[in-house]
Amino acid sequence: MTMTVTVLGTAAPAPLPGRPCSGYLLRAGERSVWVDAGFGTLAALRAHADPAALDAVWISHLHADHCADLVAAFYALCYGGLEAAGPIPVYAPAGLAGRLAGFFGRPDTAFLKDTFAFHDLHEGHRVDLGGLVLTAHAVVHDVEAYALRARHGGRTLAYSGDSAPCPGLVAAARGADLLLCEADHDAPPAGQERAHLTPEEAAAAAAEAGAARLVLTHTGPSLTPEAAASRASAALGRPVAHAREDRTLRV
């Protein structure tokens, strides 16, 4: 009944050497889900799993550093020797198919249907993949965005995606065994719309939600992962880790 999450990439907003953008491999029992598909994460995914055997892809929002490697996945599945049994379900905010089609200069999306089956996320969207239950919680970002709550065998993983402080994030993380949470901002940007969290705000969300463990990810260029984790730990009053590429976390 084990649930694990393998870190494929954590960088923001662009990949770094050895550090792809946002991407994670969620495994529970016999099920596997690619959660976010940022730049460089397909290659990282292939080191751990066969993309053609995925049960689903889950995309938190449509910024390229969270979804652009679906273009690479399309090439791999169509021309790169990977053979899926059928279209891979992709759960994402509305419009993803059109964005992928635009990369190919196509006005229609029909050519994608044999590779990906797109499902538009909404608040409370629930998917049951044979006992691995995925639920979407709308969060505040500068585009439509969803945190993920994944439950299997009595264990719960919460993943923030990109989010400013908001009730939706706390709802997704309520009582979670592990909260994998972004900490993109060094400080709240003055006079700007909020779209991300500071390390202290990630800690506050974990405390309010009663999450058992907090692991930070998606730290922006003004923060090191180590500094972000140290600041969150001081705010939360207990150890906080940061996500590392190729590391597998047990939920």
Side-chain angles (χ1 to χ4, degrees), residues 192-227:
Q192 296 182 26
E193 178 186 6
R194 294 303 311 276
H196 291 284
L197 299 162
T198 67
E200 290 78 11
E201 289 168 337
E208 184 176 353
R213 293 165 57 206
L214 173 62
V215 175
L216 297 188
T217 189
H218 196 62
T219 50
S222 63
L223 276 173
T224 66
E226 294 80 7

Side-chain angles (χ1 to χ4, degrees), residues 14 32-33 40 43 65 77 82 84 99 113 115 123 155 169 173 194 196 230 233 246-247:
S32 60
V33 181
D65 60 333
L77 290 163
L82 298 184
R99 294 198 182 199
K113 67 180 177 62
T115 306
E123 167 62 27
R155 308 294 288 178
L169 175 59
R194 294 303 311 276
H196 291 284
S230 178
S233 179
D246 292 323
R247 182 73 58 86

